Amino acid sequence: MSNVLSGIRVLDFGRYIAGPYCATVLADLGAEVIRIEKIDGSEDRYLTPLTEDQTGDGALFLQIGQNKQGMTLNPMKPEGREVVQRLVKTADVVVANLPIETLEAMGLDYESLKAVKEDIILTHASVFGDDGPYKNRVGFDGLGQAMSGAMYMSGENGEPRKLYGPWVDFTTAMMGAVGTMAALKHRDQTGEGQLVGTSLFGSAVLISSVTLMEQAMLNINRVGTANRGQNAGPADTFKTKDGWVLVQSIGLPLFERWTKLIGEEHWLTDPRFKTDQDRGDNNHILSERMSEWCLERTTKDAIAEMDAVRLPCGPVMTPQETLDDPHLAAMGLLKNVPYPGFEDGVPVTELPIKMSKTDTKLKHRAPTLGEHTDSIMESLGYSAEEIADLKSKRVV
């Protein structure tokens, strides 16, 4: 199978998720990605450690570092700036999600990069974008959730709730990957590089767009109802004899199946439940009835009965239950990857895109700190003596 981005070199100066995972997607599609981090390791290398003594490389880095080479570099030193310029001359794309002032100080802003290589592409993720009153603010995934309306609408009884998983970061990373590939196509057609900008706030607003549109047009001022849906029903989580299930009935055909399943077919002519929005407005009634039905059954039995009538549902699983799930194994999404210190392997998630003609599989583990520094520096024309000197000065 082919690697569609073979021959493309990407310099990954990212931190945490939005920048690095953008570069990971490009690496999964065949690009040569060089992860560049601090001399002692960047902060995201050590996040969520996987050893009992809470030391060593963490889960986040093992996930976002896959398919990359790794080198250490201090671009703030004059010799480091020279290394950056040599790297940029060999590259097609630079990925960075650092503040714009930091990029300028490191010589990684678009104008500085363009002066080194005219057709370079800079993919820059930030919290709020490069325009507007918040452009210089810093933050993480949660800020996008908080300021897009998503946290408010996920809450209950006036208390907002942030989703545990960093969906804003990963959405921004994937937007960056899409933008980068479009920029590469544009370069193929015109010879021009460009600046690709993404933001956590923009990604979160995209996910919240339907709710924001409804508010703008109807001034409806919805409040959060936790897991209970507001635009269809029954749509909620329900306690069973031994766990929880999620049920999502959207559209009249599914509502008909549900009423027949629980023995409430007369609700099909009830004006309170005529449309999806009617059912959403009265979802508390539907949830109360469904709660009674689920409490009489185990999770397994409840799902079996709902599956039999093709009603969308599933168990609410713990992380361990997800790891043990047979469908996860059947899909082959997790690949057990050996890594120094974890010789039995670490389960890393492959790119969840399967293509019949393009290889998207995980090809090699994340790099150890500075693992490829010497070989990359040699490829840039540095001698062994020069590399040793730069190491003594903590430039690389």
Side-chain angles (χ1 to χ4, degrees), residues 17-19 22 96-98 123-132 134-137 139-141 143-145 147-148 167-177 179 196-207:
I17 299 174
C22 167
N97 58 320
L98 301 167
T123 300
H124 178 227
S126 62
V127 181
F128 289 103
D130 296 330
D131 300 297
Y134 303 153
K135 65 180 181 180
N136 293 321
R137 294 182 63 182
F140 292 101
D141 173 281
L143 203 54
Q145 295 194 36
M147 297 182 67
S148 64
W167 57 269
V168 177
D169 272 332
F170 277 99
T171 302
T172 305
M174 288 184 278
M175 290 292 101
V196 178
T198 61
S199 68
L200 303 184
F201 185 59
S203 298
V205 167
L206 171 64
I207 303 299

Side-chain angles (χ1 to χ4, degrees), residues 40-338:
D40 295 321
S42 296
E43 297 84 351
D44 55 3
R45 176 175 282 276
Y46 308 111
L47 196 63
T48 317
L50 297 176
T51 57
E52 291 184 1
D53 63 3
Q54 299 290 289
T55 61
D57 296 345
L60 178 63
F61 185 78
L62 269 62
Q63 178 64 54
I64 65 173
Q66 60 176 288
N67 292 335
K68 298 179 183 179
Q69 300 178 60
M71 73 175 293
T72 54
L73 175 64
N74 183 353
M76 303 301 285
K77 293 188 175 183
E79 300 96 330
R81 292 286 287 268
E82 170 62 25
V83 176
V84 168
Q85 291 181 5
R86 291 201 197 185
L87 280 167
V88 170
K89 288 177 182 178
T90 71
D92 300 281
V93 178
V94 173
V95 175
N97 58 320
L98 301 167
I100 192 66
E101 296 88 348
T102 303
L103 292 182
E104 291 171 350
M106 296 167 66
L108 293 173
D109 59 289
Y110 182 58
E111 292 305 318
S112 296
L113 293 173
K114 189 177 179 182
V116 177
K117 192 169 190 287
E118 177 68 22
D119 65 351
I120 197 73
I121 294 166
L122 171 61
T123 300
H124 178 227
S126 62
V127 181
F128 289 103
D130 296 330
D131 300 297
Y134 303 153
K135 65 180 181 180
N136 293 321
R137 294 182 63 182
V138 295
F140 292 101
D141 173 281
L143 203 54
Q145 295 194 36
M147 297 182 67
S148 64
M151 269 184 68
Y152 179 83
M153 290 303 298
S154 299
E156 188 175 25
N157 299 323
E159 181 180 350
R161 292 180 183 172
K162 184 177 80 69
L163 188 67
Y164 185 82
W167 57 269
V168 177
D169 272 332
F170 277 99
T171 302
T172 305
M174 288 184 278
M175 290 292 101
V178 170
T180 301
M181 287 186 281
L184 287 167
K185 180 67 173 178
H186 175 84
R187 193 189 66 173
D188 288 344
Q189 295 173 337
T190 68
E192 300 173 330
Q194 62 180 298
L195 173 63
V196 178
T198 61
S199 68
L200 303 184
F201 185 59
S203 298
V205 167
L206 171 64
I207 303 299
S208 300
S209 61
V210 173
T211 299
L212 296 174
M213 192 184 306
E214 181 190 52
Q215 177 62 26
M217 300 305 294
L218 301 178
N219 197 33
I220 202 165
N221 294 316
R222 292 190 183 277
V223 296
T225 52
N227 298 320
R228 184 179 301 166
Q230 299 191 10
N231 304 104
D236 207 342
T237 49
F238 303 97
K239 188 170 179 55
T240 64
K241 286 183 176 181
D242 58 355
W244 291 82
V245 295
L246 172 72
V247 180
Q248 291 185 299
S249 172
I250 302 173
L252 182 59
L254 292 179
F255 183 65
E256 289 177 342
R257 297 175 198 174
W258 177 75
T259 58
K260 293 175 182 178
L261 174 68
I262 66 165
E264 301 287 359
E265 292 179 75
H266 62 284
W267 277 351
L268 292 173
T269 57
D270 191 320
R272 294 176 299 175
F273 311 124
K274 183 177 181 180
T275 67
D276 266 333
Q277 191 56 63
D278 291 330
R279 293 187 283 276
D281 292 341
N282 293 286
N283 206 359
H284 59 288
I285 300 172
L286 304 178
S287 285
E288 183 178 348
R289 178 66 183 92
M290 191 58 175
S291 292
E292 297 172 356
W293 187 88
C294 287
L295 281 172
E296 297 171 350
R297 293 161 173 81
T298 64
T299 297
K300 182 179 180 180
D301 290 342
I303 290 174
E305 291 187 48
M306 287 187 281
D307 273 347
V309 298
R310 305 288 292 168
L311 187 66
C313 63
V316 178
M317 298 194 290
T318 67
Q320 186 59 56
E321 288 170 335
T322 299
L323 288 171
D324 295 337
D325 190 79
H327 190 76
L328 179 65
M331 289 186 70
L333 285 173
L334 296 186
K335 183 172 183 178
N336 211 47
V337 180

